[in-house]
Amino acid sequence: MARAAIYPGSFDPLTNGHLAIIQRGLKLVDRLVVAVANNPSKSPLFTVDERKAFIAEAFQDDPHVEVDSFDGLLVDYARRKGIHTVLRGLRAVSDFEYEFQLANMNRSLLPDFETVFVMTGEDYFYVSARLVREVATFGGDVSRFVPANVLAGLARKLAGRRPGRR
Ligand code: ADP
C-alpha cells in the first residue's frame, strides 16, 4: 500500500525551509499532500489560492506531491482524506514545545494520528515564513530564502506597500 502523509502549514509564503522538508518527506512517503491552512484570523499576506499556486508551481512535475487547503481542525481534514500521518518540520528548540503540544493534542483527538518530524538542515533552521514576510516588507533581500516564484510574488504584493509610502 502506498504510504501517504499530509504536510500542513500556513505557507505564507512557501520558503526554502518548507521545500527542504517536502523533499526530505518524499523520501519517507509515496504521496505527500501539502495542505495550506486557511486561518483568516492570522491575517495572511497571501490568499490561500496564491499560497497553493506557489507550491504547485514548485512541484508541477512531481506526481508524488499534491497541493490542497483546509479549514478547521487538522484532524478532521486528516479523517476526510483518510490520511492519519502528518509531516512537520523542526527548526530550533523553540519549535519543539509547540509541536510537542500540537502532536499530543492531535493524537488525543484522533487516536491513530501520528506526527513525523523531519529536522531542517543548518542552512534553513533560522528561516521562517514570518521572518521572510517581515524582512521583505521592509525591503530586505530574501532571495536566498524563497524560491523564485515566491520572490516575484512578494515583489508584486509589496509594491507600493512599503512602510512610509501610501
Ligand atoms: P512558518 O513557521 O515558517 O511560518 P508554517 O506554519 O507554514 O511556517 O510551517 C509549517 C511547518 O513547516 C511547521 O512544522 C514548521 O515547523 C515547518 N517549517 C517551517 N519553516 C521551516 C524550516 N526552515 N525548517 C524546518 N521546518 C520548517
Side-chain angles (χ1 to χ4, degrees), residues 103-119:
N104 281 300
M105 174 59 80
N106 284 332
R107 208 170 42 222
S108 74
L109 294 171
L110 185 62
D112 69 344
F113 188 92
E114 203 54 74
T115 308
V116 174
F117 293 98
V118 171
M119 274 189 229

Side-chain angles (χ1 to χ4, degrees), residues 4-75:
I6 297 169
Y7 177 35
S10 308
F11 303 106
D12 184 33
L14 178 73
T15 67
N16 290 339
H18 295 132
L19 286 178
I21 298 298
I22 296 172
Q23 271 145 8
R24 293 165 63 182
L26 285 170
K27 293 183 192 157
L28 306 172
V29 296
D30 310 295
R31 177 178 163 225
L32 189 62
V33 181
V34 184
V36 176
N38 182 17
N39 188 352
S41 68
K42 277 193 172 173
S43 319
L45 179 61
F46 291 99
T47 65
V48 167
D49 285 342
E50 287 168 330
R51 286 180 267 158
K52 281 171 71 178
F54 290 142
I55 305 163
E57 281 160 25
F59 291 95
Q60 55 190 345
D61 297 322
D62 193 331
H64 303 285
V65 178
E66 199 177 302
V67 184
D68 196 9
S69 57
F70 69 102
D71 297 278
L73 284 180
L74 175 60
V75 288

Side-chain angles (χ1 to χ4, degrees), residues 7-13 15-18 20-21 42 87-91 95 98-99 102 117-121 123-131 133:
Y7 177 35
S10 308
F11 303 106
D12 184 33
T15 67
N16 290 339
H18 295 132
I21 298 298
K42 277 193 172 173
L87 176 72
R88 295 286 285 177
L90 275 184
R91 282 164 291 201
D95 275 343
Y98 175 68
E99 292 291 343
L102 201 65
F117 293 98
V118 171
M119 274 189 229
T120 186
D123 291 353
Y124 298 123
F125 88 70
Y126 57 93
V127 178
S128 74
R130 185 178 61 81
L131 260 185
R133 284 196 307 275

